[in-house]
Amino acid sequence: MDGWIVNKDPTWGSCSLGVFICLACSGIHRNFPDISKVKSLSLSHWEDHEVQFMAENGNELMKSKYEAAVPVYYYKPTHKDCQVLREQWIRAKYERKEFSNPGNSFTYEEGMRDGVLMKRGRDNGQFLSRRFVLSEREGTLKYFTKYDAKEPKAVIKVDTINATFQPEKIGNPNGLQITYLKDYSTRNIFIYHDSGKEIVDWFNSIRAVQLHYLKVAFPGATDAELIPKLTRNFLKEGYMEKTGPRQTEGFKKRWFTLDHRRLMYFKDPLDAFAKGEVFLGNRDHGYNASPGLPAGTHCNGTWQHGITIETPDRCFLFTCETESDQQDWLKHFNDVVSAPMSPQEYTTAGYFL
């Protein structure tokens, strides 16, 4: 990642900025050669003055300069995040110098954002331009089917929103998935903008409005307590096979998304609504995940690596294609049921599959 973030052994350096960077970020730095001149630490020839410049600067000193005033809600990407997030973080720091001067005003904090994004149609799958309006005062994100429409198609409360970049799933490098609760069930919308800066600005504006809402709702909470409640990446997504509540139905292949304590399933990864979801509570309250299926289970599916999730009310049975996939799902399930529950999570306990 970009020097100090996650990379313990950077293999490249920017001899004009004085920072050490990883291979992936070196490619992004090359996109603005007038600001950042990159060289391999082992393969490039370094002039004496370049070596001296690196020694006099380095990642920590440059972090204090270029990250002097990063807003607490601004999402700092890691090496696991997609290209558009990493590129816009690097450009914001070095090209636009957004965070170099304390007291800077940020576009994310204007309280209102109004613009056109491409949104995937729920039924036909086509992406069409839609007007979106984010309001800090109302605590909502609205979208309109026509730019001059008086009534919005949807009004989404910011405290129910999650937003996560999904370029591969959406098929666009700037693809953003927004999930929210509608009538107690999960609704997905998929959007993108041709400009990487624009879509990342929308993403961070949503986080800024969410933080404002949370500060009002929980006036005694610290930033450190509130930041994890903003947008988050899904813990895991992928295909598993599942059977129904009687466990006599055939196993069917479905797309699963694990979003903290909510395991949702969809017929298709780009479905607008989850077909069902299950709440994963704490192990002390009767929740558990284990490999295999109960004895006597009729498994008609093609996948043989079973998982059983126990809840206080019933068991849920799944199968995975490979053992490694099974083990990865189990690790995430067990991490979730081992984690203590917050008071808010007790109010959402229950299952819906």
Side-chain angles (χ1 to χ4, degrees):
M1 196 51 213
D2 190 36
W4 51 81
I5 298 177
V6 295
N7 200 40
K8 295 179 180 179
D9 188 24
T11 55
W12 291 75
S14 171
C15 59
S16 53
L17 291 173
V19 296
F20 297 93
I21 54 181
C22 70
L23 175 62
C25 289
S26 71
I28 298 173
H29 279 253
R30 283 197 197 91
N31 290 333
F32 39 100
D34 52 326
I35 295 171
S36 184
K37 181 182 178 183
V38 296
K39 288 188 173 186
S40 167
L41 298 184
S42 58
L43 301 176
S44 300
H45 172 72
W46 287 74
E47 301 291 345
D48 290 344
H49 69 88
E50 293 172 334
V51 174
Q52 181 68 21
F53 182 74
M54 298 294 288
E56 291 173 352
N57 292 281
N59 290 18
E60 288 303 320
L61 184 61
M62 291 300 98
K63 180 178 180 179
S64 67
K65 175 182 178 181
Y66 290 105
E67 293 187 37
V70 182
V72 292
Y73 58 78
Y74 192 98
Y75 184 82
K76 293 183 180 181
T78 74
H79 67 294
K80 296 179 180 180
D81 284 301
C82 62
Q83 172 85 4
V84 68
L85 271 174
R86 291 185 289 118
E87 177 169 345
Q88 291 306 313
W89 165 241
I90 291 171
R91 287 187 178 276
K93 280 198 300 183
Y94 302 125
E95 189 176 50
R96 300 192 293 270
K97 297 184 175 63
E98 290 185 18
F99 317 123
S100 296
N101 298 312
N104 270 1
S105 59
F106 297 102
T107 181
Y108 329 107
E109 297 176 4
E110 293 175 353
M112 174 74 74
R113 191 171 189 90
D114 188 331
V116 174
L117 300 170
M118 300 299 292
K119 176 188 171 293
R120 187 179 189 272
R122 186 181 73 184
D123 299 320
N124 60 17
Q126 290 184 326
F127 279 88
L128 299 171
S129 60
R130 294 289 183 258
R131 180 189 178 199
F132 282 77
V133 178
L134 176 68
S135 171
E136 180 180 276
R137 181 176 60 83
E138 298 178 6
T140 59
L141 175 66
K142 303 175 183 178
Y143 76 87
F144 302 78
T145 54
K146 295 182 179 179
Y147 193 84
D148 57 354
K150 293 183 178 179
E151 295 298 323
K153 176 70 172 178
V155 179
I156 308 166
K157 295 181 180 296
V158 294
D159 59 317
T160 73
I161 288 177
N162 188 22
T164 178
F165 279 90
Q166 297 277 8
E168 291 185 9
K169 182 198 291 188
I170 295 173
N172 186 284
N174 300 337
L176 183 67
Q177 177 176 348
I178 292 178
T179 64
Y180 62 97
L181 292 179
K182 181 179 181 181
D183 301 327
Y184 302 101
S185 63
T186 301
R187 167 83 158 94
N188 291 325
I189 58 175
F190 302 94
I191 59 176
Y192 73 86
H193 195 283
D194 288 335
S195 164
K197 180 182 184 302
E198 184 72 12
I199 197 68
V200 173
D201 283 356
W202 270 98
F203 176 67
N204 281 302
S205 294
I206 289 171
R207 290 174 60 87
V209 170
Q210 285 183 321
L211 183 60
H212 174 82
Y213 175 89
L214 290 169
K215 282 180 176 289
V216 174
F218 306 99
T222 64
D223 286 344
E225 292 170 324
L226 296 179
I227 295 304
K229 299 180 183 296
L230 306 185
T231 64
R232 62 201 173 272
N233 293 325
F234 298 139
L235 295 178
K236 183 173 173 63
E237 285 194 296
Y239 284 106
M240 290 192 290
E241 292 181 333
K242 68 172 288 293
T243 186
R246 292 191 300 273
Q247 299 175 3
T248 56
E249 305 92 330
F251 278 78
K252 296 180 179 179
K253 183 179 176 182
R254 295 291 182 258
W255 178 264
F256 284 83
T257 297
L258 181 59
D259 185 6
H260 194 45
R261 292 195 182 274
R262 287 170 38 240
L263 177 65
M264 300 165 281
Y265 81 90
F266 307 83
K267 189 172 183 180
D268 183 88
L270 294 173
D271 281 349
F273 291 95
K275 293 183 70 68
E277 48 191 273
V278 60
F279 177 86
L280 300 179
N282 184 268
R283 183 172 279 113
D284 293 340
H285 298 99
Y287 295 87
N288 190 48
S290 57
L293 302 174
T297 301
H298 175 64
C299 186
N300 69 320
T302 58
W303 296 353
Q304 303 300 317
H305 303 278
I307 293 176
T308 298
I309 291 182
E310 301 171 51
T311 76
D313 301 289
R314 57 167 279 204
C315 289
F316 299 91
L317 309 183
F318 311 100
T319 56
C320 301
E321 185 176 16
T322 65
E323 184 179 1
S324 63
D325 206 24
Q326 174 204 43
Q327 294 302 312
D328 196 40
W329 276 111
L330 280 169
K331 175 186 180 301
H332 287 292
F333 290 149
N334 282 304
D335 286 347
V336 170
V337 299
S338 298
M341 286 172 58
S342 69
Q344 295 91 335
E345 288 171 338
Y346 280 102
T347 66
T348 58
Y351 74 86
F352 311 96
L353 274 177

